[in-house]
Amino acid sequence: NIRLLYSGIMSRSIRGLEFLIQATKAIPELTTTLVGYGPDEEYLRGLAAGEPRITFMGKQPREKVDALLTETDCIVTLLDPTFPNYKYATSTKLFEAFAYGIPVITTNDTATAKLTKEAAWGYTIPYNDESLKILLQDMVNGNAELVQLDPLRVARWDWTAITEPLRERYSTLQK
């Protein structure tokens, strides 16, 4: 079985959560945990109703999310590339994946995809349900090998490595 984790806002329009729920329902070897809350939580719960391999945990403290990260095989952070913020901003989930040594599944044409490819740590796919299903089925079948984290490649994206450069950049914006 492959254990997937999503943590964040429950929004079907820009996060691809319908894709994730449908893929989990279609592929018996998957289990998915969704952590967070948001405007579409009840709709998504309804979509997943009756599927015991999909768990909604609602809002959780940081310590609980950290514990879940130690128990997952892959973080899913599907981002609609037509949403302007995702073109230029990087998902915090990517850095969590780096920190915990967990591969990430994200969408092409986003800043998160660019870093995922650069670090060679995870998978990037088109933003649609079929692409996610194909990738997850390939993972189950052993055709999409879960890569091993290369600490040297991702070290440059460690929070401690990027904090000072970010502070310097933000300080120039405040002037």
Side-chain angles (χ1 to χ4, degrees):
N1 280 356
I2 296 176
R3 300 164 299 172
L4 305 172
L5 175 66
Y6 170 83
S7 174
I9 190 166
M10 296 290 166
S11 173
R12 63 184 173 175
S13 63
I14 58 174
R15 295 293 178 109
L17 295 176
E18 289 172 302
F19 306 156
L20 179 58
I21 290 169
Q22 294 296 357
T24 303
K25 289 169 74 173
I27 302 171
E29 296 86 358
L30 301 177
T31 58
T32 296
T33 301
L34 297 110
V35 177
Y37 62 97
D40 296 323
E41 183 177 356
E42 288 308 309
Y43 167 80
L44 294 166
R45 284 178 181 269
L47 189 62
E51 180 51 70
R53 295 174 296 107
I54 300 173
T55 304
F56 284 82
M57 297 188 68
K59 185 177 181 180
Q60 295 293 316
R62 179 79 247 166
E63 298 78 27
K64 180 62 178 175
V65 174
D66 288 343
L68 289 168
L69 286 165
T70 66
E71 301 168 0
T72 193
D73 297 311
C74 199
I75 294 174
V76 179
T77 179
L78 302 176
L79 307 168
D80 183 345
T82 64
F83 190 69
N85 187 54
Y86 298 143
K87 283 285 216 192
Y88 307 105
T90 304
S91 172
T92 303
K93 291 164 200 61
L94 180 64
F95 298 107
E96 289 175 341
F98 287 172
Y100 281 86
I102 305 166
V104 65
I105 298 171
T106 193
T107 12
N108 294 335
D109 303 319
T110 63
T112 299
K114 181 181 176 187
L115 292 180
T116 299
K117 289 176 185 177
E118 187 176 314
W121 188 237
Y123 309 97
T124 60
I125 59 171
Y127 185 73
N128 62 62
D129 61 341
E130 192 60 27
S131 294
L132 180 62
K133 284 180 188 172
I134 289 169
L135 171 64
L136 291 171
Q137 189 64 62
D138 282 349
M139 290 169 68
V140 166
N141 294 339
N143 298 329
E145 186 177 322
L146 286 175
V147 294
Q148 294 299 311
L149 181 62
D150 180 353
L152 297 177
R153 284 190 138 164
V154 299
R156 64 180 280 205
W157 300 111
D158 180 80
W159 281 117
T160 55
I162 66 170
T163 301
E164 194 53 40
L166 283 175
R167 283 188 181 143
E168 288 175 19
R169 287 183 188 162
Y170 283 132
S171 70
T172 63
L173 296 174
Q174 294 175 353
K175 296 177 181 179

